[in-house]
Amino acid sequence: MKASLPSAIAVFTLLLSVSLVQFATSFQLLASQNPHREKLVQHFQPTHEQSRFVGRARTPSSTRLHLANDNTPENSEKSTLGSNMRRSLLYSTAAALATNVALAVVAPPGFKRIPTQFIAALGDPDAKSGTNAQEWGLWEKDPGPRGVFLQDFSTLETNGGKAKAGWTFDKNDWWLEEHGIIMEKPKFSLPAGRYLVTGGRLVTTVLTVEPPEVGDTQQRWKLDNGKLYDITHLPCRSARYKPNEGNGSPLTARTGDFPVKPGAEMPPVDGCDKQDYAVLFVIGVAT
């Protein structure tokens, strides 16, 4: 009886977390509904094939500056959309929190819980192992709430690229997430070690990252169970943008492309090369 109560709590909390994830996903899609954004109003259920973009580079795009008068109806709608996206972000955060509470109860021996961290990963969604962990980054804090919305980029520029959270914008290497929020860069590369990782769905497993061998820069990684797709948090989308000859920037991003549907690719930005990354939750490390 003593062992059954914690197990029951874990199962109940995990079911609650899944429900919250589904609710957050639906809310995010409904928030984008309006007559001028038909491409965002279709109900979306992520599938394996729709999420096979992990680590796929995009072809450079041409420069096209997107400008709009502040008094136009379009910008009024964007203001409403921004408010809805903030609420969507709140629900997504609540879903992740519920998932972490459940997983904390059932964490395996030999691991300790840590405040949730986030891995930016590259690789084949079907992969169970690889040799490119040196290309993976780590956010030790949730970069979303610490970020800056695209429509507030001018304020960020006025402050010399310094965000309120303390990080500095790099015009030559910048990141966006699914709500159209400019994020701080993750730290590269992922330190060697054993991590308890999850996508907030059905699979929680151990990710082992090996240190590079002498004279080599590659870092091997492997999962104890599941594939990279199984531990990807589909509602969290992230991409890295670097200006090309088109000299793109957040000013050439289209705010109407956000929010991004769960499991979908991040939108291109005119004048930039783009690289999509999968997002994994780190909820524990080996003791």
Side-chain angles (χ1 to χ4, degrees):
M1 293 297 292
K2 290 183 179 180
S4 63
L5 182 58
S7 298
I9 294 174
V11 171
F12 172 78
T13 312
L14 187 57
L15 290 174
L16 175 62
S17 71
V18 172
S19 299
L20 282 171
V21 169
Q22 293 173 340
F23 175 77
T25 300
S26 299
F27 185 91
Q28 176 175 329
L29 298 175
L30 291 173
S32 65
Q33 291 184 358
N34 66 65
H36 302 283
R37 294 190 175 88
E38 296 179 356
K39 65 178 180 179
L40 294 179
V41 302
Q42 299 176 353
H43 184 69
F44 179 83
Q45 291 293 338
T47 65
H48 181 78
E49 290 300 318
Q50 288 168 321
S51 301
R52 293 186 60 84
F53 72 88
V54 180
R56 182 187 304 165
R58 292 294 297 254
T59 302
S61 55
S62 61
T63 304
R64 182 168 65 248
L65 185 62
H66 180 75
L67 298 174
N69 190 294
D70 290 340
N71 296 323
T72 61
E74 181 183 359
N75 277 355
S76 177
E77 291 170 2
K78 288 178 182 177
S79 177
T80 301
L81 181 62
S83 176
N84 287 336
M85 286 194 295
R86 287 181 173 90
R87 284 197 291 263
S88 174
L89 181 61
L90 177 62
Y91 285 116
S92 298
T93 302
L97 176 61
T99 300
N100 294 334
V101 170
L103 293 171
V105 178
V106 295
F111 282 82
K112 65 177 181 180
R113 278 288 284 117
I114 61 172
T116 305
Q117 298 181 356
F118 306 84
I119 291 176
L122 290 176
D124 185 334
D126 288 330
K128 299 179 180 180
S129 62
T131 58
N132 66 324
Q134 74 280 358
E135 299 176 341
W136 294 17
L138 179 68
W139 287 288
E140 295 179 347
K141 296 181 179 179
D142 189 345
R146 295 166 52 82
V148 177
F149 275 91
L150 282 170
Q151 54 264 42
D152 297 325
F153 178 63
S154 58
T155 301
L156 184 62
E157 283 189 305
T158 301
N159 293 333
K162 194 79 169 181
K164 289 183 178 180
W167 57 273
T168 302
F169 175 77
D170 182 354
K171 66 179 182 179
N172 295 315
D173 184 5
W174 52 280
W175 292 66
L176 277 178
E177 55 96 88
E178 72 276 8
H179 298 92
I181 295 177
I182 304 167
M183 302 184 292
E184 61 193 296
K185 295 188 290 186
K187 295 179 180 179
F188 288 96
S189 60
L190 188 63
R194 299 178 71 226
Y195 302 86
L196 188 63
V197 295
T198 182
R201 292 182 286 152
L202 298 178
V203 177
T204 299
T205 190
V206 174
L207 165 67
T208 301
V209 177
E210 302 288 348
E213 296 182 2
V214 178
D216 193 2
T217 59
Q218 291 185 332
Q219 287 184 261
R220 296 184 178 276
W221 63 270
K222 67 175 182 178
L223 300 173
D224 281 6
N225 297 292
K227 306 172 183 178
L228 184 56
Y229 173 82
D230 298 327
I231 56 169
T232 296
H233 186 60
L234 298 180
C236 287
R237 317 317 300 152
S238 69
R240 185 180 194 176
Y241 297 85
K242 294 183 178 182
N244 52 35
E245 63 277 3
N247 199 29
S249 77
L251 291 175
T252 58
R254 296 180 291 272
T255 56
D257 289 340
F258 301 91
V260 177
K261 297 175 182 179
E265 290 189 36
M266 288 289 286
V269 171
D270 290 339
C272 288
D273 297 332
K274 175 176 76 78
Q275 175 69 69
D276 285 278
Y277 283 75
V279 177
L280 322 179
F281 291 164
V282 180
I283 60 170
V285 294
T287 54

